[in-house]
Amino acid sequence: MRNKEMTMNDYRAMYAEYCMEGADRSRLGSGPVGLGPWPPESFTEFVAWRKRVEKYFDNNEDSS
């Protein structure tokens, strides 16, 4: 499990990197099963998607 919750500044930094990689993402297609559509189209959607990803990985860590 993660030690701390991510802050909005953490998400903003991740989103900025995500936006810079836009050309590479266009060829990826859909995202991981159960984590929703890829790519999120706004910062708000990105944060919601990222929180689902974090929850998914937290749940998988608990079961190992």
Side-chain angles (χ1 to χ4, degrees):
M1 285 190 95
R2 287 173 284 120
N3 294 332
K4 65 175 186 118
E5 286 293 315
M6 292 182 67
T7 66
M8 276 299 149
N9 285 335
D10 294 330
Y11 288 118
R12 283 185 188 99
M14 291 175 73
Y15 186 67
E17 184 175 337
Y18 162 85
C19 289
M20 287 187 282
E21 296 171 352
D24 291 335
R25 277 195 322 274
S26 64
R27 60 186 167 74
L28 291 178
S30 62
V33 173
L35 297 180
W38 184 266
E41 296 196 15
S42 69
F43 177 71
T44 303
E45 290 175 0
F46 175 83
V47 171
W49 173 82
R50 181 62 197 189
K51 286 181 179 185
R52 286 192 305 270
V53 169
E54 292 167 20
K55 184 178 178 180
Y56 174 81
F57 284 110
D58 285 348
N59 289 340
N60 281 339
E61 286 178 4
D62 292 343
S63 65
S64 35

